[in-house]
Amino acid sequence: MLSYTFTEDKEFPLYEQLYQRIKEDIIERRLEPHSPLPSKRSLAKHLSISLTTVENAYNQLVSEGYVYPIYKKGYYVSNVQNVPMNTVRDDYLPEQLRVDKDKNGHSRLYIGDKTYTEMYMGTDNRTDYFADFSSNASDPATFPFSTWAKLNREILSTEHVKLMTNSPSNGMVELRYAIAEYLHQFRGIDVFPDNIVIGAGTETLYSILVQLLGFDKVYGVEDPGYEKISQMLESSNIKTARIPLDEYGVMPRELMKHNVNVIHTTPSHHFPTGITMPISRRHELLKWANADDTTYDDEANRFIMSVDRDDKYIIEDDYDSEFRLSGRPIPSLTSIDNSEKVIYMNTFTKSLASTIRISYMILPDHLRDRYYEKLSFYSCPVSTFEQMTLTRFISEGYYEKHINRMRTASRKKRDLLLKSIKSSPIAAFSEISEEQSGLHFILKISLGIPDTTFVSRCLENGINISPISKHSFMINYSSVPLDRIEEAVRRMAECAL
Amino acid sequence: MLSYTFTEDKEFPLYEQLYQRIKEDIIERRLEPHSPLPSKRSLAKHLSISLTTVENAYNQLVSEGYVYPIYKKGYYVSNVQNVPMNTVRDDYLPEQLRVDKDKNGHSRLYIGDKTYTEMYMGTDNRTDYFADFSSNASDPATFPFSTWAKLNREILSTEHVKLMTNSPSNGMVELRYAIAEYLHQFRGIDVFPDNIVIGAGTETLYSILVQLLGFDKVYGVEDPGYEKISQMLESSNIKTARIPLDEYGVMPRELMKHNVNVIHTTPSHHFPTGITMPISRRHELLKWANADDTTYDDEANRFIMSVDRDDKYIIEDDYDSEFRLSGRPIPSLTSIDNSEKVIYMNTFTKSLASTIRISYMILPDHLRDRYYEKLSFYSCPVSTFEQMTLTRFISEGYYEKHINRMRTASRKKRDLLLKSIKSSPIAAFSEISEEQSGLHFILKISLGIPDTTFVSRCLENGINISPISKHSFMINYSSVPLDRIEEAVRRMAECAL
C-alpha cells in the first residue's frame, strides 16, 4: 500500500500533496504502468485521511491522464510514455507571475522582478538594422500620418452609427465603391462594387478563395515566385504544383502537364525576376483557362475532355502595379477576360502601409454569386474604422496624391542607390537588374568570398540583405530611409571586399 | 463559307465585328459544334479583309473558348453547352460605367445617371429597424468614442516607427502582454504573452487552428450552438459532429461515440441555452481529452487504445465572460488544465465593438511551439494602428472601466425590457429564461398565431426578432437603444395579439 506523510500547509491542501506524491511515483516508474491503485476507501483508511481527500486527488490524476478508471474495477496507472512530459507545467506555476503597479501607476505583469516587456522584448525579431534591404515594411517618412489622423478624427466624431454597423462579409459598400472608381480611373478595370471582396491581406482572401474554388483542386504557383503562396496552400493540405517560367512568364504547356486547375500569377511584374507578361502570353493563358484539357480521339476524329474548363481559373496578383517606374502599363488580364476566368487581387499593404491590413479581390460574376450564396456568413476581417478611413482617403483624392509622392520618393531612393553603387569599389563586380520595379532591384556581385560570409558580415554592420540565388541579392529599399542609403552602400562595399 | 457584311464604325473595329458575328453564329447553333472554321487565309480572301483582322477575331474567339485550335489542322467550333452562357457579359459593357465629378468635386462612379451608391445602397441588407433584437452589433451609445479618438491621435502623432513596423504573426507583443495582464487580474488565467495569438475574429483564429490541429480531425460542435462554427468548418471540408447536450453541457460519452478529436464548447455560458458547465463536467471533459479512447481487451486484462489522446483538444470559447450579470464566475477550463489540452478563445467584438475585429486565443505550450515553427510566416491580420490603440485602451485602465459601464448599461436595458414585458398584455403568455446572460434572453410566447406570422408582423412594425425554436425567440438587446425599448415591447405585444 502507498505510504506517504504529509505536511500541514495552508498553501498545499492535503489532496494536492497526495496527488503530487502519487504523480511523482508514476512519472518515476515506482508505480508500474497498468497496475491497480488501492481503492479510495482503503487508501483513506491506510493514510488516516478523509475519503474526500483521496477522491479529489484521484480525480485530479485522472483528469491529467496519470491514472485511468475502469468501470466497476477501480483505478489503474497510465503508461506515462503516452503522457507527454511537458504536460508537467512546472515552469508555469502561477506564483512566477504577479501584477504590480509601475511608476506611472499602470498595472504591469511581472515575472520575478522584471516585467514581461523587460524580459522578452529583447529576444523578439531584431528590428534595429541600420538598413534592412529584406523587409517589405513601409518607410515612416512616406506615410501620410497627418491626413490619416485628420480623416480618423472626422470619422470618429461624426460617424458613430456607421462605425458600429457590421459591414457585409465582403466589406463596406462605400469602400468597394471607392476601389471600383479608382480601378476605373487608374487601372482601366471596370468592375461593379458587388464583385469586390475586401480582406485583411492575401491570407484571408486565399482562405475564402479555396473555399470557393475547391480544396481538391491543383493550385499552380510560379517558380520562382512568392514563397508565401505555396506555404499557405501547403499548410492547408492543398495540392500545389511549381510551374517553371520562360522569358514571358508562366507556360500554359506546363500547366497542362501538371493538371493545374488554378494558377497564381503576377503578370504585370513577376516577383522576383521582374518579367512582364506580353499580351500574347496573356491570351494564351486565357485560352488555357477556357479550354478543357483534351486528348485527341483518333477514332472520333475530335478532342475529348480530360480536365474540365469549368474548374480552371487564373489568379492575377497585381501587387505592385502602382509602382512601376517606367514602361507603359499592359492591360490587366482581368480587363481582357470575357469569360469569367480571372480573379484579380491587389493590396494596400504595398502602396499605403504594410501594417494596415487591407487587400481586395475581384470575383467574376458566377463566383460572386457563389460567394454570396455560400460564404457571406463570414464577418469581414477588417474593422469598419479602417475601412471608413481608407474610403475617404481614396475618394477624396488623397490616395492618388500619396501614390505619386511614393513613386517620386521611390525613384529618388533607387537613383541614389544606383549612383552610390556605381561610384563604389564594388561597381566593377556588380550587375543590376529589375531596377524599373520601383520597390526593389536585384544586385548580382561576383564576390571573392562565399555569399554567406558576405551576408553575415553585412549583418554585423547593420545591413540586412537576402540572397535569392548564387551571387544574387534582393535589394528591397522600401523601408530604408533616403539619408541612410549612401552609408549603407559604403558598408556593403566594405563587407564585399 | 461564312458571309458577313460590316459597317464602318470607329468604335467597333472590323475584327471585333467579325468576332461578334461568328460568336453569335456559334451561340445560336448556326455553326455546328466541332465543325471546322474556314482557314484564316481563305476567310480573309472571301470577305475581302486583311489576314490580321481574321487572326485577331479568331484569337479572341479562341481565348474566350468559342473556338478551339487543333495543331496543324485549323480551328474548330466549341460545344457551347460547355461555355456557360453567363460568360457573355453583355451587362458588363464598360460604357455603362463612367466617372464624373459630384457636386463636391469628388470623382464618382456613375451607372447611367445614378451613382452606384444611389442605385444599390437601397438593396443592401436592411439596417433601419426601429429595434433589431437579432443583431449582435454594438450600441453606438456605449462605445467610448472620445477616449478611442484621443488614444488614436496620440499614437498617430508619436508612434510613427512602431506603426510602420510589421507585427509578429501572432500580434504585437505589447497587445499580447496587455491581454495577459487583463486575464490575470480579471479572469484568473495565467498565461505568457508568447502563448497568445491575435486574430481578426473567430474566423481567422479557426483558420490557423485547423492548420495546427489537422484537417483530418473530427471537430465536435455543440448542438444547439453557434451555427457559424460548423458553417466555417464544413465550408473548409472539415468533418464535424453535432454533439447533443444534457443539463451540464457537452457529454463526454457523445464525444467518444462520434470519435471526436476537437470539441468547441462554451462552458462559461452556453449559447443559446445559457448552460454553465459545472466543475464536475469540466473535469470529465479534461479527463476525456487526456485519455486515449480505449476498448477493453479481456485477454490482456487491460485497455488498448482506439483514439489517440495526443490528437484530442478542447476549444474553450469564453465569448461573453465579461457580461454575466449575476452568479460567481466558474474557473475557466484553461485555468484548471495542467495537460495542455485546452485552447482558450475570446474576443473584443462583444465587449468593445462588433466592428473592431480583434480576438485572441491562448495556445498550450506544445501548440505554441508548433505555431512558431510552422505558421509564423503568416502576417497578423490586424492592423498595428488598432492593435496599438487597443493596447493603450487596456493597459491604461479604460477597458476595465468600459466593461463596467457596459455591464451597467446592459443591466438597465434588460431590467427595462423585463419590466415592460411584465406590464404588457403579453405577460400572461410569456416566459423568460436566460436573463442573467447580460447580452440576450430567451422569450417564449404561447402565441395564438403561427410564429412566422408573428415575426413578419414584427418586421412590418420595424422590429427584427429571431425564432430559435417553436414559440421561442432570441432577444438580443445589445444594439437596441435604451429609449426605444418600451416602444419596441409595445409593438411586439401588438403583433402577438
Side-chain angles (χ1 to χ4, degrees), chain A residues 259-293:
Chain A
N259 288 319
V260 166
N261 296 103
V262 184
I263 176 69
H264 178 274
T265 178
T266 50
S268 69
H269 183 222
H270 176 260
F271 180 89
T273 66
I275 293 168
T276 299
M277 191 182 283
I279 192 78
S280 57
R281 178 59 58 85
R282 289 173 193 236
H283 279 289
E284 278 170 48
L285 255 193
L286 285 169
K287 195 174 95 184
W288 164 81
N290 273 293
D292 296 328
D293 278 352

Side-chain angles (χ1 to χ4, degrees), chain A residues 116 120-121 123-127 203 228 354-355 357, chain B residues 162 164-177 193-194 196-199 208 371-372 375-384 387-388:
Chain A
Y116 180 83
Y120 288 95
M121 293 296 277
T123 68
D124 253 23
N125 289 333
R126 182 176 167 189
T127 51
E203 288 92 337
K228 205 172 184 175
S354 61
T355 53
R357 308 298 304 170
Chain B
K162 254 191 195 164
M164 290 295 118
T165 304
N166 293 337
S167 72
S169 64
N170 59 333
M172 294 181 74
V173 68
E174 292 88 342
L175 176 56
R176 288 182 277 126
Y177 171 48
D194 279 354
I196 295 176
V197 178
I198 306 289
I208 291 292
Y371 172 85
Y372 282 118
L375 299 176
S376 56
F377 67 86
Y378 277 107
S379 303
C380 178
V382 183
S383 96
T384 55
Q387 289 191 62
M388 288 184 74

Side-chain angles (χ1 to χ4, degrees), chain B residues 344-388:
Chain B
Y344 177 92
M345 267 196 191
N346 210 334
T347 178
F348 294 97
T349 56
K350 299 249 174 214
S351 55
L352 193 56
S354 61
T355 53
I356 295 181
R357 308 300 302 169
I358 308 185
S359 51
Y360 61 93
M361 62 181 169
I362 304 173
L363 297 177
D365 285 9
H366 72 286
L367 289 180
R368 172 205 61 196
D369 295 345
R370 199 186 294 170
Y371 172 85
Y372 282 118
E373 186 195 338
K374 298 198 170 159
L375 299 176
S376 56
F377 67 86
Y378 277 107
S379 303
C380 178
V382 183
S383 96
T384 55
F385 291 62
E386 294 208 326
Q387 289 191 62
M388 288 184 74

Side-chain angles (χ1 to χ4, degrees), chain B residues 392-462:
Chain B
R392 291 219 188 160
F393 192 74
I394 299 172
S395 64
E396 295 178 15
Y398 295 112
Y399 184 60
E400 190 192 341
K401 280 180 210 147
H402 171 68
I403 292 290
N404 289 333
R405 209 166 37 233
M406 290 275 277
R407 254 196 228 114
T408 309
S410 275
R411 191 179 288 118
K412 263 193 200 158
K413 283 189 195 175
R414 181 201 58 170
D415 292 348
L416 185 56
L417 260 169
L418 297 181
K419 194 181 133 217
S420 307
I421 292 174
K422 265 183 204 150
S423 59
S424 95
I426 53 169
F429 320 100
S430 298
E431 202 179 298
I432 281 160
S433 56
E434 251 310 276
E435 69 269 28
Q436 298 306 329
S437 106
L439 290 168
H440 65 257
F441 58 77
I442 295 170
L443 174 65
K444 195 166 182 180
I445 320 187
S446 311
L447 289 163
I449 52 172
D451 288 0
T452 49
T453 310
F454 175 58
V455 168
S456 62
R457 275 192 201 166
C458 280
L459 269 181
E460 279 166 31
N461 287 282

